[in-house]
């Protein structure tokens, strides 16, 4: 049984699901009761999950908009969070 058949496809994981898997891996590795080969597999999966979470966070950040206030203090529109000039 390989990790490919037991692990869900990374692209289908939500941020929360990936983070939960990553936290489980970290907890198990910190306990130190995992054989070396399995530790390496878990570490590799953890690195992949971390990268996936980072990508999802960056995508979410790109969607965030800041509210522009008019002179009267009311919302007057939105602008990109980090506009590129």
């Amino acid at each position: 049984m390989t990790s490919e058949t037991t692990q869900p496809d990374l692209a289908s994981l939500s941020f929360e699901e990936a983070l939960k898997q990553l936290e489980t891996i970290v907890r198990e590795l910190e306990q130190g009761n995992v054989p070396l080969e399995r530790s390496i597999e878990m570490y590799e999966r953890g690195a992949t999950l971390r990268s996936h979470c980072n990508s999802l966070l960056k995508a979410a950040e790109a969607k965030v908009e800041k509210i522009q206030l008019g002179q009267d203090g009311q919302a007057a529109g939105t602008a990109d969070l980090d506009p590129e000039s």
Side-chain angles (χ1 to χ4, degrees):
M1 183 167 22
T2 66
S3 61
E4 291 175 9
T5 59
T6 60
Q7 297 292 336
D9 182 39
L10 193 62
S12 68
L13 292 178
S14 69
F15 175 81
E16 292 79 6
E17 293 167 331
L19 186 58
K20 184 176 179 180
Q21 283 188 24
L22 183 56
E23 289 171 342
T24 299
I25 288 170
V26 169
R27 187 172 40 256
E28 289 180 22
L29 289 174
E30 285 178 341
Q31 290 176 355
N33 298 329
V34 182
L36 179 60
E37 286 299 316
R38 179 69 181 132
S39 293
I40 293 169
E41 291 173 8
M42 292 172 70
Y43 181 85
E44 290 171 347
R45 177 70 176 174
T48 304
L49 287 165
R50 182 187 153 282
S51 178
H52 180 67
C53 287
N54 191 41
S55 295
L56 292 174
L57 283 175
K58 286 184 180 190
E61 184 178 79
K63 294 178 184 177
V64 173
E65 296 177 325
K66 67 177 182 181
I67 298 173
Q68 295 179 331
L69 300 178
Q71 290 180 341
D72 61 356
Q74 298 297 317
T78 61
D80 291 337
L81 179 63
D82 292 322
E84 294 183 26
S85 301

